[in-house]
Amino acid sequence: MEEAKISTLSKLAICFGILVFIFFLQTTVIRDATIWKVKLRSMLLISEWARNWNANNGSAVITCDYSHNGYDICTINGSTLLDQASSTLFALGPHTQQDKPHIPFKILPYTLKGDKTAMSNVKEVTLTLAPPKLSCGVTHHTPALVFSVGGYTGNFYHEINENFIPLFITINSLFPNQNVILVVLEGKSWWFKKYAELLSAFSPNHMIINTNNISTVHCFPSATIGLIKHGDMTIDPKLLPNPKTLLDFRAFLDKVYTKDDDTPFVYPNENGKPRLTLISRRGNVSRLLLNENDVIKVAEEIGFNVHVFEPKNTPMAKVYRLIHASDVLLGVHGAGLTNFLFLRPGSVLVQVVPIELYWASRTYYEKPPKFLGVDYIEYKIEPNESSLLERFGANSLVFKDPPAFHKGNWSKQRVYLKEQNVKINVVRFRKYLTKAYEKAKIFISKVN
């Protein structure tokens, strides 16, 4: 009997030991499998997003990072030849031999890579180790920063959001001493004229290269292709070696456009009245303010000195002085409101928000101005103030349930952005203008 008990216990002990061993084995296998999967995933990501060519003996290396949602960026870490005619950058060095295989890199150097419409206006740039058939006509001793301004050229919001804020980020990330030559692809002559002062401020000691105007082959000691973007109308200080924010970008703009010898461009200050600048949308565009004159009349009755401003063809220095002198900036959601960057801290921005443009209004023209210390007032229109009411009716999904109407489909989303105009209820809007007036008076008293 006693022996039977011992035998049973021994068997149980053996079984328990086997179970422990199996558990340990499974845990080890699963852990190792998990590690292997992670390693494999990392290898695939490296293969897909950051293919590197490393040539020996210090020769050039081409590296591209395709991992970001909004932009791609490449570098040629060595002598670089730019052939504008073929939109190709050649990495020069001992590795450029006919008998060596080489797979070219491709990049669209514009910071809106998820937008097919914008990117269709951007020419693809090729980076290659293949030997060039050309020789250097002009040799520079300063690195090149190559980027496109194709995309949505002509739209002030996009020019700031996709060109100049990313350029500010990239310069401060990679070229903090500003020792870089800007090589601009697909820039129109009017664009260079409009932004001449701003471009020069990014690289004050070097020429700006407009690739549309060059026929000579240019060579550089190295090149970066593409710009870095942190998001819409934002700069993340945690992603910069020397932390910067949108405040620093605004200070940069102030420095560019504030001239000691300039006569301030402002409209007359009548008896200390707050200056209200109304951004007017006119012509073949959407989100027109259909009763603009009625709004102006109410604003003047409240006590504003009103100036109607249509930004087209106005020199940037003049725009800066006008907006900077304003106490209130008013407009329907649109690119013109990007001029909030020129407002003084404590002044007021009034945004009229059309139906279903809430995310864009908040992201582009509420959060950034508030961060810069601008007082923000929002006026969301009601269905009876939208031109879409007559077309669709008050009981349609267009008003009752916009997400159910468009279901994320751009062809229907564009109804709100591209096919909607606004007729403000001036009785209701008077309250908002009165609030803006009171804030403006407080601002003026502080400034004085």
Side-chain angles (χ1 to χ4, degrees), residues 131-289:
K133 296 179 181 180
L134 303 168
S135 58
C136 300
V138 178
T139 300
H140 302 276
H141 302 287
T142 303
L145 176 56
V146 184
F147 61 97
S148 172
V149 296
Y152 290 126
T153 300
N155 181 298
F156 185 50
Y157 164 75
H158 288 289
E159 288 166 351
I160 292 293
N161 191 56
E162 277 97 66
N163 296 146
F164 291 114
I165 292 179
L167 183 55
F168 182 83
I169 292 170
T170 307
I171 293 285
N172 281 280
S173 297
L174 306 178
F175 308 99
N177 59 0
Q178 297 183 305
N179 187 34
V180 63
I181 294 175
L182 304 184
V183 180
V184 184
L185 309 176
E186 298 160 312
K188 310 291 185 183
S189 56
W190 64 262
W191 188 90
F192 283 97
K193 183 179 179 181
K194 179 177 180 178
Y195 294 115
E197 292 174 288
L198 185 53
L199 284 167
S200 296
F202 282 107
S203 179
N205 300 317
H206 301 286
M207 64 188 296
I208 309 297
I209 296 179
N210 173 6
T211 57
N212 288 339
N213 289 344
I214 61 172
S215 55
T216 306
V217 175
H218 287 248
C219 291
F220 308 89
S222 63
T224 299
I225 305 89
L227 300 176
I228 301 168
K229 186 180 179 186
H230 291 168
D232 293 316
M233 298 299 288
T234 189
I235 299 172
D236 187 343
K238 297 188 295 296
L239 300 179
L240 286 161
N242 296 305
K244 304 280 185 183
T245 69
L246 202 62
L247 286 166
D248 297 284
F249 180 68
R250 199 258 303 276
F252 179 74
L253 295 175
D254 288 342
K255 186 176 179 180
V256 171
Y257 292 117
T258 300
K259 309 295 183 184
D260 293 335
D261 57 347
D262 278 341
T263 302
F265 176 77
V266 297
Y267 41 100
N269 188 352
E270 299 175 1
N271 301 320
K273 290 182 178 181
R275 297 185 179 97
L276 184 148
T277 298
L278 171 61
I279 301 291
S280 181
R281 295 176 63 84
R282 295 177 183 173
N284 189 28
V285 296
S286 62
R287 285 160 280 135
L288 298 172
L289 183 53

